[in-house]
Amino acid sequence: PYIGAAFFKFTYDSLQMAGPYILKDLLNYLSHCSGQEDLETSECSLGKGMLFVVLILISAGCQTTVLHQYFHRCFRTGMRLNAACISLVYGKSLRIASAGGTEETGEE
């Protein structure tokens, strides 16, 4: 169960590392193309700027989804382990109680 969670965490960390690089490219685009009136050149097209914005948006959305799945899997695994421990302790207490119930206590 934790191997799948590790995949989600690795994906989240990779997307988090990609964000600053996309932002750097967007800032370079804005500084290079801010003074030009003609935005239809190959280097300074509106589509290229929108591509950077959409990449940042998709990256943030994927980060949110992947991190949610990571926490969900870890929480679910932890709850299963918790339930298994409680079940073991309860079963052990029933065995101890049934073994101790056959003896006379002397208070009767």
Side-chain angles (χ1 to χ4, degrees), residues 36-71:
Q36 295 183 2
E37 296 297 325
D38 183 24
L39 291 178
E40 297 304 320
T41 62
S42 63
E43 291 182 6
C44 297
S45 65
L46 181 63
K48 187 175 180 181
M50 292 303 289
L51 176 69
F52 291 133
V53 172
V54 169
L55 281 175
I56 290 173
L57 180 68
I58 289 172
S59 176
C62 288
Q63 282 179 8
T64 301
T65 304
V66 167
L67 190 65
H68 172 74
Q69 287 297 316
Y70 166 73
F71 279 122

Side-chain angles (χ1 to χ4, degrees), residues 9-22 59-60 62-63 67:
K9 184 63 173 162
F10 178 75
T11 305
Y12 172 76
D13 290 342
S14 299
L15 287 171
Q16 198 168 18
M17 293 265 311
Y21 289 110
I22 299 170
S59 176
C62 288
Q63 282 179 8
L67 190 65

